[in-house]
Amino acid sequence: MGKSQKKRQMRRHNPMRVPDSHLPKGLDSASASSSKREAILPIMQKACFRMESPDAAERKWACVAVSNFIQNDPSTRRLLQGKNIVGSLVNRLSDSDEEVVVEAAGSLRNLCIDGGYDICAEMYNKRILSPLKAFIPKISSTLSQYLENPKTAPDNAQKLVYEFADNIITILWCLSETSNKALDAINQIGLVPFLMSFLGSKDKLPLSTITSAAQCLYVFTDDNPPVSGELRSNGEYTACLLAIVRGNEETRKPNGKGKDVSDDRETTLRVLCTGILRNVAPIPPPSIAAMVDIDTELILPALLPVISSASLPEISQRVQELIAQEEAVPEMEKLSLKGAPKSDHKSPAELELELLERRLRTVQLAVEILTGVSATLPDPEPEAEEVGEAQDVIVLTGVGLLDEMDEDGDDEAENTDEEVEMETQPQKAAAPSALPSIIEPLLALTQLTPLSFPPTAGAASPHPPTTSALSAIHTCALECLNNIFLSLASPAQLQTRGFTSDADREAGPKIWDAVWRALSAVGTDVESAGQERRRDMWYIGVGVLWGVAILWKGILVPQVEQANVLIQLCAAASDPAVKVKCIGTLECLAQHPESIDGNRMISQFLVSLLGQPAAVPTEPLLQAASALIDIYSDETVPYDIVFRQGGYLRSLTTAVELVRKVVRGIDRKRERELRRRGEEVRDNLVAFIEYRRALRL
């Protein structure tokens, strides 16, 4: 059963603010408005021409104009790329005029965030790191002077230092996500002292800049040993991060109401620092952070209030109201770039929209961290497997984090085996009743709003940044639930955990209905361009359903409509892992004792899979054979009549040779675990047939 967690060989966090597929196609989308098209083209041409002007004011104007054009408009970005706008802006980083440099950095920052991997790769190839690297000591020196004697700072210090530093840091963060080559080059710069200097001066610097430094550190310490090791080994750094996470506890609000910009940035900063500490854990002495259990003492207290207080429907409603306000502003007024425009000139509605987006991104970040905490499977690294090191199994429940060691144990543990057993058993017994306290807020985050996805008709979202953030939260929440339920449904957990109350038994159907309600609202149009997140919702959501079905096997009643959807998804999915999840979920539903018709419907589908060896991949085929064995392992259940009436013994006997052939085709070296699994299913199938024959039913 697959858990959602980061893999080293994959791209890291996606820096794109909004996927291009969520956005209107630039000038093409404006074809109905000739005035808009006619207004954009001349200004774009003028901006590209003025980028090389000998007049600094003209060059500054051009940088600002480009910045205004590129945001959330992929086609316009591509038109500008065709005019080598990236190269021109990189050149402007060496401009003789400081204000031009600042504006160029701002435009490049916006390109990084809104343009994604391709533009970041182009910047790297055009050697943007050279000027960026030169800026680091200059910013540090100027910053130190201002911190030591603030009165020496000129009036435009914030513009030329703080905002500029923010832009440079954000560019470096985005570039590090582009490729391992870019990350390795950035590692050589040695940014940890530079970034930590902002966090260390938290009370003297703008929160926006500090938050950008924390965001950069969070990304750099994620599965990046050179940086995480440097930060982990410095006690002052980890103590600083710990102080930020624990700071201002008395002023924290229990809900999201009445918060201002400062409150939101403080929350974002605290969440980021929590993530950084988890990235670098375990922290060695003598740091004070070495004495803290990061998961139980920091992550839950800091992050659960963040996800619990978020009301996605309220935010969605407010965004729609603000959009209506913006639409009332004349279009030409928005496009006017006369004089020397300011890139930060935004209406009150635009500023509030940015605030709401930032709140959503903070919630997304919090859920991502919780998803990592709740992942129980280690990265499949051969070296760890060969050494045989014990791996922590972290199960997230309402009572906290249950830290349990695997079978190998921990030879250096101070507690005796008896003490550990006494401590963990009460925790395991209490877990089912405590589940709602963590699961309910996650389930709430899976429920869709009117802005959660782009319209299925192919139109653009009314506000792409909000749609991008909402859809990311929905999928992250499902990933976290996926990890939680599949962790609780592991064989080791199931041996010790039972349902001891009616509330425990009733929780399963309620959770099942909530997840199904979210998936039903997603719809079935998941293959169209721009609907990738809808597909992700289904692919991840069926894993959640599987975990819930395992935990409440025999309690959940199979519904014909739901079973049909799972069967259709299994048939349509191209990913074998999704097919396996569908089959596993159906297997559990089929084991409701009194649901004979539901059992028949599901088992007929499973038997049909064994008759399509060419059409069914190896893993789903093995899962189907294993499912039939488990469903009919007890001949006393009421639905066993389906096995006898359907002649399934004959069907399974015919399938034995097929299964043997499939298992022989699995490479022992390249797919060792799958080969082991296949041999186990093959042997179980032969033994099951012998057992059923002996019953003579």
Side-chain angles (χ1 to χ4, degrees):
M1 294 182 291
K3 311 298 190 297
S4 300
Q5 57 182 11
K6 296 164 187 170
K7 303 296 181 186
R8 218 170 262 193
Q9 67 271 21
M10 296 174 64
R11 276 176 169 174
R12 297 142 59 88
H13 175 72
N14 187 346
M16 284 196 299
R17 181 186 181 203
V18 183
D20 278 0
S21 59
H22 285 198
L23 301 174
K25 304 303 181 183
L27 296 178
D28 293 339
S29 69
S31 58
S33 174
S34 59
S35 61
K36 180 177 180 180
R37 183 183 182 91
E38 292 171 0
I40 289 177
L41 285 174
I43 298 174
M44 182 187 299
Q45 293 169 351
K46 184 186 297 184
C48 293
F49 176 77
R50 292 185 180 181
M51 191 72 69
E52 306 297 332
S53 171
D55 186 344
E58 294 274 291
R59 299 195 301 272
K60 176 183 174 183
W61 182 96
C63 292
V64 175
V66 169
S67 181
N68 289 336
F69 278 130
I70 60 181
Q71 295 187 53
N72 295 334
D73 197 335
S75 290
T76 303
R77 286 199 301 268
R78 295 187 188 107
L79 285 173
L80 288 169
Q81 277 183 275
K83 300 179 181 295
N84 190 32
I85 198 65
V86 171
S88 297
L89 287 171
V90 171
N91 289 338
R92 296 281 68 78
L93 292 179
S94 302
D95 200 281
S96 58
D97 187 277
E98 288 185 343
E99 292 191 6
V100 173
V101 174
V102 171
E103 295 297 348
S107 294
L108 287 165
R109 169 194 178 275
N110 291 342
L111 273 173
C112 283
I113 291 177
D114 289 315
Y117 294 117
D118 292 341
I119 285 184
C120 289
E122 184 181 353
M123 291 182 191
Y124 176 78
N125 292 334
K126 291 185 176 176
R127 304 184 182 281
I128 191 176
L129 285 184
S130 295
L132 295 185
K133 183 177 180 179
F135 290 144
I136 302 302
K138 295 179 181 178
I139 294 173
S140 297
S141 176
T142 305
L143 187 65
S144 298
Q145 295 176 13
Y146 291 168
L147 290 176
E148 291 174 4
N149 190 357
K151 294 182 180 180
T152 63
D155 294 337
N156 62 346
Q158 184 172 354
K159 175 74 173 180
L160 295 180
V161 179
Y162 302 144
E163 183 179 328
F164 181 63
D166 193 330
N167 290 336
I168 299 304
I169 290 169
T170 303
I171 294 171
L172 289 168
W173 151 43
C174 293
L175 289 175
S176 73
E177 309 279 18
T178 306
S179 66
N180 287 333
K181 182 187 294 186
L183 178 62
D184 291 340
I186 293 173
N187 283 343
Q188 300 303 314
I189 299 177
L191 288 173
V192 171
F194 172 71
L195 296 172
M196 283 302 305
S197 68
F198 288 91
L199 274 67
S201 303
K202 174 180 176 294
D203 296 332
K204 303 177 182 178
L205 298 174
L207 261 177
S208 59
T209 307
I210 298 167
T211 303
S212 294
Q215 174 70 70
C216 199
L217 271 174
Y218 173 68
V219 172
F220 284 175
T221 55
D222 177 18
D223 207 4
N224 185 20
V227 173
S228 58
E230 180 181 357
L231 199 151
R232 178 189 302 115
S233 61
N234 190 306
E236 292 185 5
Y237 292 165
T238 52
C240 173
L241 294 168
L242 180 63
I244 292 175
V245 175
R246 287 180 161 176
N248 299 324
E249 293 187 356
E250 69 280 359
T251 63
R252 296 182 193 175
K253 297 178 176 60
N255 54 55
K257 297 179 179 179
K259 300 173 75 173
D260 59 21
V261 174
S262 178
D263 292 326
D264 281 293
R265 291 197 186 277
E266 286 278 4
T267 300
T268 303
L269 178 62
R270 192 161 52 249
V271 171
L272 286 167
C273 290
T274 303
I276 296 169
L277 285 171
R278 188 164 202 282
N279 285 346
V280 304
I283 299 170
S287 171
I288 188 174
M291 306 300 293
V292 178
D293 187 318
I294 301 297
D295 289 335
T296 59
E297 297 180 42
L298 291 185
I299 288 184
L300 285 178
L303 303 189
L304 289 184
V306 174
I307 69 169
S308 299
S309 63
S311 174
L312 302 189
E314 290 182 7
I315 293 177
S316 177
Q317 176 63 34
R318 181 55 183 158
V319 168
Q320 290 175 297
E321 294 171 357
L322 293 169
I323 293 171
Q325 292 179 20
E326 281 294 285
E327 289 177 346
V329 178
E331 192 68 33
M332 292 306 298
E333 182 179 328
K334 300 178 187 177
L335 292 170
S336 177
L337 291 173
K338 295 180 180 179
K342 297 181 179 180
S343 59
D344 59 352
H345 178 66
K346 297 170 184 176
S347 68
E350 290 175 323
L351 292 174
E352 187 174 350
L353 284 170
E354 287 188 355
L355 173 62
L356 294 173
E357 181 189 357
R358 184 162 58 247
R359 289 180 183 174
L360 291 174
R361 293 299 183 186
T362 301
V363 174
Q364 177 190 349
L365 175 63
V367 180
E368 285 178 352
I369 296 172
L370 288 172
T371 300
V373 172
S374 60
T376 63
L377 295 180
D379 283 336
E381 298 178 29
E383 60 269 23
E385 193 170 353
E386 293 171 4
V387 173
E389 296 177 348
Q391 298 287 346
D392 286 336
V393 178
I394 303 175
V395 180
L396 185 60
T397 70
V399 292
L401 294 166
L402 306 181
D403 297 328
E404 303 167 358
M405 301 304 292
D406 68 2
E407 301 179 327
D408 297 332
D410 186 352
D411 294 335
E412 298 180 2
E414 296 180 2
N415 293 342
T416 65
D417 291 342
E418 293 79 4
E419 290 172 336
V420 172
E421 183 69 15
M422 292 176 62
E423 181 178 353
T424 57
Q425 289 301 332
Q427 290 177 323
K428 291 176 180 177
S433 297
L435 281 174
S437 61
I438 174 63
I439 290 175
E440 285 182 2
L442 287 172
L443 286 173
L445 295 180
T446 67
Q447 305 304 310
L448 306 192
T449 76
L451 295 179
S452 291
F453 297 106
T456 55
S461 163
H463 191 250
T466 297
T467 293
S468 174
L470 286 171
S471 58
I473 290 172
H474 298 323
T475 54
C476 285
L478 282 175
E479 286 175 341
C480 195
L481 288 168
N482 175 76
N483 289 351
I484 292 171
F485 286 121
L486 293 186
S487 298
L488 296 177
S490 66
Q493 293 287 326
L494 290 175
Q495 288 177 4
T496 57
R497 177 173 286 115
F499 296 112
T500 58
S501 69
D502 291 339
D504 291 333
R505 293 178 61 85
E506 294 171 359
K510 291 180 180 178
I511 295 171
W512 174 274
D513 290 343
V515 176
W516 199 266
R517 186 165 60 252
L519 295 176
S520 298
V522 170
T524 56
D525 182 8
V526 298
E527 299 300 333
S528 303
Q531 303 303 327
E532 295 82 4
R533 285 277 171 80
R534 292 182 187 267
R535 183 185 60 215
D536 292 343
M537 284 278 286
W538 271 108
Y539 282 15
I540 299 168
V542 73
V544 182
L545 294 175
W546 190 10
V548 176
I550 293 173
L551 281 169
W552 282 274
K553 186 187 299 182
I555 297 176
L556 294 174
V557 179
Q559 304 295 325
V560 172
E561 182 180 354
Q562 294 176 355
N564 267 325
V565 171
L566 291 171
I567 289 172
Q568 293 168 10
L569 178 60
C570 182
S574 58
D575 186 349
V578 177
K579 293 179 181 289
V580 169
K581 294 175 185 179
C582 292
I583 294 169
T585 307
L586 289 166
E587 169 193 340
C588 296
L589 293 176
Q591 296 181 57
H592 186 264
E594 289 76 32
S595 298
I596 296 175
D597 290 339
N599 176 280
R600 180 179 292 107
M601 175 186 179
I602 293 171
S603 61
Q604 287 176 348
F605 169 69
L606 298 178
V607 170
S608 72
L609 294 179
L610 298 182
Q612 307 175 55
V616 182
T618 298
E619 292 177 77
L621 188 144
L622 294 174
Q623 185 69 34
S626 177
L628 287 166
I629 295 171
D630 289 342
I631 293 170
Y632 297 109
S633 60
D634 182 0
E635 71 279 4
T636 65
V637 293
Y639 59 69
D640 192 70
I641 190 174
V642 175
F643 183 89
R644 301 192 297 273
Q645 292 179 344
Y648 290 171
L649 182 58
R650 182 173 58 255
S651 299
L652 291 176
T653 302
T654 303
V656 169
E657 187 55 37
L658 164 65
V659 172
R660 285 175 173 159
K661 183 179 180 180
V662 168
V663 172
R664 285 196 300 268
I666 303 174
D667 191 295
R668 288 182 180 273
K669 295 182 179 179
R670 296 182 179 179
E671 300 178 288
R672 183 173 57 183
E673 180 58 28
L674 181 58
R675 178 61 182 254
R676 184 201 64 76
R677 165 72 170 156
E679 292 173 348
E680 178 184 358
V681 172
R682 176 200 62 198
D683 295 344
N684 287 346
L685 180 59
V686 172
F688 176 73
I689 291 172
E690 294 176 354
Y691 169 74
R692 294 294 310 203
R693 282 174 175 168
L695 291 176
R696 298 183 181 278
L697 295 175

